[in-house]
């Protein structure tokens, strides 16, 4: 029923839970003066390597190879070249791995190995860290490391200079999930003095544990509702809308629970606090803003708040550097990064059109809707429409087969995005007049 991430959530949660004591241990050891910076880097690196081998088995080599190549390129290339080269290599490697998944699923018609899917999921997160690091170097936020490799230093000196990069790309709290942590934040946390290291936020972790428990209880209820009802293959007319809404609700609850667990692991290791934040750097933002996601009546706001660190990474990597159709390029790249499955291509491109329509609809609504009863009615209707469109996009992205995607497109559910498409065409013609 689900896509790669949902297929993996149960194994990922198990491994993230197993890493929790080690995250707490790392935070505790950082309060000791005897735990040097070098030892901290090695602890995080060794933990990441051990977690990768335990979770991915032999497929861990799919993560280790790009890590070694990325560090080599970072240490070898100049700041002007490093981002383009590392980006091209990382996305090429990830695309090859995704093609392997396509070959297994669509050509061999076999279920892919769980360990291979875990490696692919970790590789996607690695791409975020590699490109974030290379962008920081290219934009001058970090000192370039290229000079060290070309100098006449010993191998041990080269490895010592490269150790922070290896540790950052493989550190275990973010290996299998979690919000994107910048290299500046990572380095400041690891190199920070022991007397300034954040203590265990037990109250915050307890609250997140209760949130996860509540979400898991809701998941049990929603799973029973989904199983008791008809699927997309059996639903009729308006019943398909209920099937879409309930299935998307189960997907969202699963993501929320997973994101909170990932955030808790980072916070347990001390990477989730404001400790070590550089001037001008965006503050730590968890991926799950459940209240905003469930109450917003704007698709554009939902897009910014859904998986927030990834949305911010896409904005920095693609949107801010695109001169033509930046919104479309951003969502197209997101489909590429996710694996270019047919449902993902359709879903993300549909999302881009819906966001563009959202901007125009709400801009015109501000001009014509004045009274508060009409504003309340407008907000209620657009909230319901937004949630149904998001459910439609989510099902499109999650389905694997073209037949399932066709069933979704051929159902009554397609009415909701079609309404926004029609409004986009109508309002786009009048846009210049009102400007």
């Amino acid at each position: 029923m689900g896509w790669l991430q949902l297929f993996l959530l149960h194994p990922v949660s198990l491994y993230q839970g197993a890493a929790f004591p080690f995250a707490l241990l790392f935070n505790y050891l950082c309060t000791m003066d005897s735990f040097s910076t070098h030892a901290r880097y090695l602890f995080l690196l060794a933990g990441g390597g051990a977690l990768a081998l335990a979770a991915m088995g032999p497929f861990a080599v799919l993560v280790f190879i790009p890590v070694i190549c990325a560090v080599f390129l970072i240490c070898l290339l100049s700041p002007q070249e490093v981002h383009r080269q590392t980006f091209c290599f990382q996305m090429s490697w990830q695309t090859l791995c995704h093609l392997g998944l396509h070959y297994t699923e669509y050509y061999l018609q076999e279920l892919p190995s769980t360990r291979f899917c875990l490696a692919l999921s970790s590789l996607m997160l690695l791409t975020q860290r590699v490109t974030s690091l290379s962008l920081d170097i290219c934009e001058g936020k970090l000192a370039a490391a290229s000079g060290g490799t070309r100098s006449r230093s010993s191998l041990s000196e080269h490895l010592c200079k490269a150790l922070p990069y290896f540790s950052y790309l493989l550190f275990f709290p973010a290996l299998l999930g979690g919000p994107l942590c910048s290299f500046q934040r990572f380095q400041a946390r690891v190199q920070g003095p022991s007397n300034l290291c954040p203590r265990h936020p037990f109250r915050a972790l307890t609250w997140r544990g209760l949130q996860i428990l509540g979400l898991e209880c809701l998941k049990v209820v929603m799973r029973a509702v989904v199983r008791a009802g008809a699927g997309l293959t059996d639903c009729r007319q308006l019943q398909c809308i209920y099937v879409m809404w309930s299935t998307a609700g189960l997907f969202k609850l699963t993501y929320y629970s997973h994101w909170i667990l990932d955030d808790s692991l980072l916070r347990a290791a001390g990477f989730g606090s404001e400790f070590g934040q550089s001037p001008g750097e965006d503050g730590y933002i968890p991926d799950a803003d459940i209240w905003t996601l469930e109450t917003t009546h704007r698709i554009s706001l939902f897009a910014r708040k859904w998986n927030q660190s990834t949305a911010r990474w896409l904005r920095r990597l693609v949107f801010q550097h695109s001169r033509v159709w930046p919104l479309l390029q951003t969502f197209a790249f997101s489909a590429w990064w996710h694996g270019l499955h047919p449902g993902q291509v359709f879903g993300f491109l549909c999302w881009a059109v819906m966001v563009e329509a959202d901007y125009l609809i709400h801009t015109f609504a501000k001009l014509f809707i004045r009274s508060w009863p009409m504003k309340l009615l407008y907000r209620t209707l657009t909230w319901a429409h937004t949630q149904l469109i998001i459910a439609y996009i989510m099902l499109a992205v999650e389905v694997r087969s073209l037949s399932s995607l066709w069933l979704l497109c051929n159902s009554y559910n397609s009415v909701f995005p079609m309404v926004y498409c029609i409004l986009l065409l109508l309002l786009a013609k009048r846009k210049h007049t009102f400007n």
Side-chain angles (χ1 to χ4, degrees), residues 167-365:
S167 184
Y168 171 67
L169 297 179
L170 280 176
F171 79 116
F172 70 90
L175 184 69
L176 299 178
L180 175 61
C181 175
S182 68
F183 183 76
Q184 298 101 307
R185 176 183 294 276
F186 171 82
Q187 196 172 36
R189 170 69 181 95
V190 175
Q191 295 181 355
S194 57
N195 61 330
L196 294 180
C197 287
R199 300 299 190 266
H200 300 158
F202 286 112
R203 182 176 297 179
L205 293 178
T206 302
W207 169 240
R208 281 167 176 76
L210 293 174
Q211 286 180 306
I212 293 172
L213 180 62
L215 290 169
E216 290 298 319
C217 292
L218 288 175
K219 275 175 57 181
V220 173
V221 175
M222 288 299 297
R223 188 177 288 112
V225 170
V226 171
R227 288 178 177 175
L232 281 176
T233 55
D234 305 319
C235 65
R236 294 292 181 270
Q237 299 177 353
L238 296 178
Q239 185 187 17
C240 294
I241 299 174
Y242 174 75
V243 171
M244 178 187 70
W245 174 83
S246 59
T247 306
L250 178 59
F251 285 152
K252 288 198 287 186
L253 288 173
T254 306
Y255 276 114
Y256 294 157
S257 178
H258 187 57
W259 287 339
I260 293 174
L261 177 61
D262 295 339
D263 174 63
S264 300
L265 182 61
L266 274 174
R267 289 181 181 274
F271 291 98
S273 66
E274 296 305 317
F275 176 83
Q277 183 175 333
S278 303
E281 180 188 355
D282 292 332
Y284 176 84
I285 300 178
D287 282 331
D289 186 355
I290 301 176
W291 175 258
T292 301
L293 291 171
E294 294 300 322
T295 59
T296 182
H297 68 297
R298 300 204 56 171
I299 296 176
S300 56
L301 180 59
F302 190 100
R304 292 193 298 271
K305 293 296 184 180
W306 178 263
N307 199 354
Q308 288 187 87
S309 64
T310 297
R312 187 170 58 182
W313 169 70
L314 288 170
R315 182 179 182 84
R316 182 189 180 198
L317 182 68
V318 183
F319 188 88
Q320 294 179 349
H321 294 86
S322 301
R323 297 180 180 179
V324 181
W325 299 100
L327 188 66
L328 183 62
Q329 287 191 47
T330 302
F331 279 96
F333 175 80
S334 183
W336 179 23
W337 178 68
H338 278 86
L340 288 177
H341 290 273
Q344 293 167 352
V345 175
F346 173 80
F348 282 109
L349 293 181
C350 177
W351 201 347
V353 175
M354 295 300 102
V355 170
E356 190 66 34
D358 178 83
Y359 287 136
L360 280 178
I361 291 169
H362 291 285
T363 299
F364 277 85

Side-chain angles (χ1 to χ4, degrees), residues 117-175:
C117 292
L118 282 170
L120 193 51
S121 178
S122 179
L123 187 60
M124 293 169 64
L125 297 172
L126 175 64
T127 299
Q128 288 188 343
R129 294 193 294 276
V130 168
T131 53
S132 174
L133 175 58
S134 63
L135 269 176
D136 287 341
I137 296 175
C138 185
E139 294 173 358
K141 296 180 179 180
L142 291 174
S146 55
T149 304
R150 295 169 181 172
S151 62
R152 296 182 179 180
S153 302
S154 63
L155 178 62
S156 61
E157 291 176 339
H158 288 318
L159 291 176
C160 285
K161 291 179 180 179
L163 178 59
Y165 301 121
F166 280 116
S167 184
Y168 171 67
L169 297 179
L170 280 176
F171 79 116
F172 70 90
L175 184 69

Side-chain angles (χ1 to χ4, degrees), residues 72-131:
F72 178 78
L73 291 174
I74 288 170
C75 293
L76 178 67
L77 299 175
S78 65
Q80 294 77 21
E81 300 174 326
V82 65
H83 175 62
R84 182 170 59 88
Q85 298 292 341
T86 53
F87 173 83
C88 291
F89 172 81
Q90 187 66 30
M91 285 305 298
S92 299
W93 180 266
Q94 182 179 305
T95 302
L96 285 174
C97 294
H98 270 129
L99 289 176
L101 181 65
H102 283 240
Y103 176 77
T104 303
E105 286 190 327
Y106 300 120
Y107 183 77
L108 299 180
Q109 298 289 315
E110 296 177 357
L111 192 66
S113 165
T114 304
R115 291 183 181 272
F116 173 70
C117 292
L118 282 170
L120 193 51
S121 178
S122 179
L123 187 60
M124 293 169 64
L125 297 172
L126 175 64
T127 299
Q128 288 188 343
R129 294 193 294 276
V130 168
T131 53

Side-chain angles (χ1 to χ4, degrees), residues 361-370 434-435:
I361 291 169
H362 291 285
T363 299
F364 277 85
K366 289 179 181 179
L367 297 175
F368 296 106
I369 299 178
R370 303 287 182 173
F434 282 95
N435 283 342

